[in-house]
Amino acid sequence: MEKQDLLFFCTLCREKPAAEIEKLQCTISHTVKNFKRDEYIAYQGDKVTRLVMLIRGKVRTEIVSSSGLTLPMNDISAPFPLAAAFLFADDNSFPVDVIALEECEVIYISKEAVEKQMAKCAGFMRGFMDFNANQMQNISERLKIFAQKGIKAKVAYYLLSREKKGAFELDRSVASLAGYIGVERPSLSRAISEMVRDGIITFHSGKGTIINFDAMEALLIRGA
Amino acid sequence: MEKQDLLFFCTLCREKPAAEIEKLQCTISHTVKNFKRDEYIAYQGDKVTRLVMLIRGKVRTEIVSSSGLTLPMNDISAPFPLAAAFLFADDNSFPVDVIALEECEVIYISKEAVEKQMAKCAGFMRGFMDFNANQMQNISERLKIFAQKGIKAKVAYYLLSREKKGAFELDRSVASLAGYIGVERPSLSRAISEMVRDGIITFHSGKGTIINFDAMEALLIRGA
DNA sequence: TTTGATTGGTAACATTTGTTACGGATTATA
DNA sequence: TATAATCCGTAACAAATGTTACCAATCAAA
């Protein structure tokens, strides 16, 4: 259970000891529901009127089109709020179908209860805001990578944003990095090889260094 | 002044008449600052410790690299909060430089004041949440477009998400749509032409209809 | 050790996209 | 109306990326 569980109960008011919390009116009203494998937890287009927290299990989200074809998006493991960000949006409907991949448990908290709780409990509010802010940051970071034109530019952006004194370490496999930046694995592999060949970086088994910073910058400007 | 000004003063508590608001302790402490054209309002990496609201003028944001080259991102017109979403993030630093394009006025509200105000005034909180939620929705919609592989897939996704009974209307020029989905204008133009040629859509001066839904779906699945 | 699975580098070729340049159409401006 | 500016369709070519396939290296399980 990470920061996300801030969203569950006011146990999240970490600022105070658990014992003290019990005394506060910090319990949030909610309902619980269980889902079996392959059941639909939410349908695309459903109004998001409640905060939907996945507290046990794993789900798959997919876009569904009018003709019935589906397009898998992400898998999400508990604990995680589903579409928390959209709870307050104007067009607050689920952007995807949500399907249980295994036995799942979900709790629902009404929007009103969430608002009340936020007003009542600063810790809860902070937890909610933090979660949304971090998610926003992740997504906007990814968008910036996608906005870079050319694989090398994407790679350069990715590496520059996490190098320390020229050294970097991939926190994922090359294959998953390819997925993350939206290109094919062999293409990414080729791009890295060429950057090594051109003396811009070194790279071996997940670790490397940036040799030529100027060349990296140049890649950002124009996909070369 | 749109919804954004919800974030300014508690005049935003629209739920109550203005006269009544005066009586509440709904004034939020803030400081004001003016900037001249070309002045820096914020530097990339600056900690976001206060809510920064642009209330007059226009700014440009750009990514700056260590070697000094810049990469322009977006232009933003008042009224608009700058990096509101990052106020609560863990790594809460400005992702970009912010430069005044013209005479600008900015107000600063401390994070603490924002938190207090949210606790005190439900309207303010709702305004803040709404704004962030909507921004999140926009950005994630854009990310989904970028995640589509192939120009036609991007176009199909874009059109399918806004067609009504098969009819669609672009709310922007072809050139700006090209920028939005991250491709070159001639490439987008060609893609549209081919889709028209193949009898998938009609298109003329910003308006069109989807003729072959199945083909549109197929484009989403595999960039064809 | 052997086996099988995963990871990732590479190559040849197909396909898509970018680039550059041109011209027609439309709109704003003098 | 003339003039310039913008928008956008088109084409030919260059460049980047995807596709498919193969093999080597690594690692875990038998």
Side-chain angles (χ1 to χ4, degrees):
Chain A
M1 297 268 190
E2 297 294 332
K3 164 167 292 168
Q4 293 82 346
D5 62 358
L6 283 179
L7 292 168
F8 291 166
F9 305 103
C10 220
T11 312
L12 40 84
C13 299
R14 315 199 153 168
E15 290 135 22
K16 304 184 180 185
E20 196 174 335
I21 290 171
E22 293 292 339
K23 292 181 234 160
L24 302 170
Q25 309 132 316
C26 255
T27 50
I28 191 166
S29 74
H30 64 277
T31 58
V32 185
K33 197 168 174 189
N34 287 285
F35 293 89
K36 291 199 170 73
R37 182 186 155 86
D38 292 332
E39 276 190 302
Y40 277 71
I41 295 175
Y43 290 93
Q44 182 173 357
D46 280 0
K47 284 292 170 201
V48 181
T49 57
R50 298 177 296 179
L51 180 60
V52 182
M53 286 283 329
L54 177 67
I55 57 175
R56 190 167 52 82
K58 196 179 197 179
V59 301
R60 164 157 301 157
T61 62
E62 51 188 37
I63 293 178
V64 66
S65 64
S66 50
S67 74
L69 292 171
T70 59
L71 191 58
M73 300 293 281
N74 294 53
D75 289 356
I76 296 173
S77 293
F80 211 79
L82 304 174
F86 299 111
L87 184 59
F88 290 91
D90 290 336
D91 171 22
N92 56 344
S93 51
F94 269 91
V96 291
D97 278 349
V98 182
I99 303 139
L101 285 178
E102 54 187 49
E103 186 85 14
C104 285
E105 189 170 347
V106 165
I107 66 176
Y108 297 95
I109 305 175
S110 74
K111 181 171 172 178
E112 290 70 28
V114 170
E115 287 179 347
K116 268 187 205 154
Q117 193 67 15
M118 287 204 292
K120 194 159 55 183
C121 176
F124 182 86
M125 183 186 77
R126 211 165 287 132
F128 195 91
M129 299 296 299
D130 282 0
F131 175 80
N132 278 342
N134 286 327
Q135 188 156 311
M136 171 74 104
Q137 191 159 46
N138 289 338
I139 200 175
S140 76
E141 192 58 25
R142 189 149 182 226
L143 188 60
K144 279 195 207 162
I145 289 179
F146 273 117
Q148 295 292 329
K149 286 188 187 175
I151 296 182
K152 290 181 190 173
K154 293 181 211 280
V155 172
Y157 186 92
Y158 184 84
L159 294 182
L160 284 174
S161 71
R162 68 192 62 211
E163 57 88 20
K164 305 269 186 198
K165 298 181 183 175
F168 60 84
E169 188 162 349
L170 297 189
D171 52 343
R172 37 163 35 103
S173 69
V174 171
S176 100
L177 177 58
Y180 181 73
I181 68 177
V183 301
E184 295 302 319
R185 184 191 62 79
S187 300
L188 173 58
S189 196
R190 168 173 48 203
I192 293 176
S193 296
E194 288 175 9
M195 290 169 79
V196 170
R197 181 200 63 195
D198 296 343
I200 302 176
I201 60 172
T202 65
F203 182 72
H204 185 65
S205 62
K207 299 180 184 180
T209 55
I210 299 174
I211 300 174
N212 187 339
F213 271 88
D214 290 345
M216 290 288 272
E217 312 289 2
L219 288 173
L220 282 186
I221 302 301
R222 192 70 301 287
Chain B
M1 297 271 191
E2 298 293 332
K3 162 167 293 167
Q4 292 83 348
D5 61 0
L6 283 178
L7 292 170
F8 291 167
F9 305 104
C10 220
T11 313
L12 40 86
C13 298
R14 314 197 152 166
E15 289 135 21
K16 305 183 181 184
E20 196 175 334
I21 290 172
E22 293 293 339
K23 292 180 235 158
L24 301 171
Q25 310 133 313
C26 256
T27 51
I28 190 166
S29 75
H30 64 278
T31 59
V32 185
K33 196 168 175 189
N34 286 286
F35 293 89
K36 293 199 170 74
R37 182 186 156 86
D38 291 333
E39 276 189 304
Y40 277 71
I41 295 175
Y43 291 92
Q44 184 174 357
D46 280 0
K47 283 292 170 201
V48 182
T49 57
R50 299 175 294 179
L51 179 61
V52 182
M53 286 283 329
L54 178 67
I55 58 175
R56 190 168 51 82
K58 196 181 200 178
V59 301
R60 164 157 301 157
T61 62
E62 52 188 37
I63 293 178
V64 65
S65 64
S66 51
S67 74
L69 293 170
T70 61
L71 193 57
M73 300 295 279
N74 294 55
D75 289 357
I76 297 174
S77 294
F80 212 79
L82 304 174
F86 298 110
L87 184 58
F88 290 92
D90 289 336
D91 171 21
N92 56 343
S93 51
F94 269 91
V96 291
D97 277 349
V98 182
I99 302 141
L101 284 178
E102 54 188 49
E103 186 85 15
C104 285
E105 190 171 345
V106 167
I107 66 176
Y108 298 95
I109 305 175
S110 75
K111 183 171 171 178
E112 290 70 29
V114 169
E115 286 180 348
K116 269 188 204 154
Q117 192 66 15
M118 288 203 292
K120 193 158 56 182
C121 174
F124 182 86
M125 183 185 78
R126 211 166 285 130
F128 195 90
M129 299 295 302
D130 282 1
F131 174 81
N132 277 343
N134 286 326
Q135 187 155 313
M136 172 75 103
Q137 191 158 46
N138 289 337
I139 199 174
S140 74
E141 191 59 25
R142 188 146 183 230
L143 187 61
K144 279 194 207 162
I145 290 179
F146 272 116
Q148 294 292 329
K149 285 187 188 176
I151 296 182
K152 289 181 190 173
K154 292 179 211 281
V155 172
Y157 187 92
Y158 184 84
L159 295 181
L160 284 173
S161 70
R162 66 193 62 210
E163 57 87 22
K164 303 268 185 200
K165 296 180 184 176
F168 62 83
E169 187 162 349
L170 297 189
D171 51 344
R172 36 158 42 99
S173 69
V174 171
S176 99
L177 177 59
Y180 182 72
I181 68 178
V183 302
E184 296 301 320
R185 183 191 61 80
S187 300
L188 173 58
S189 196
R190 167 174 49 202
I192 294 176
S193 295
E194 288 175 9
M195 289 168 80
V196 170
R197 181 200 64 194
D198 297 342
I200 302 176
I201 60 172
T202 65
F203 183 71
H204 186 65
S205 61
K207 298 180 185 180
T209 55
I210 298 173
I211 300 173
N212 187 340
F213 271 87
D214 289 345
M216 289 287 272
E217 313 289 2
L219 287 173
L220 281 187
I221 301 301
R222 191 69 300 285

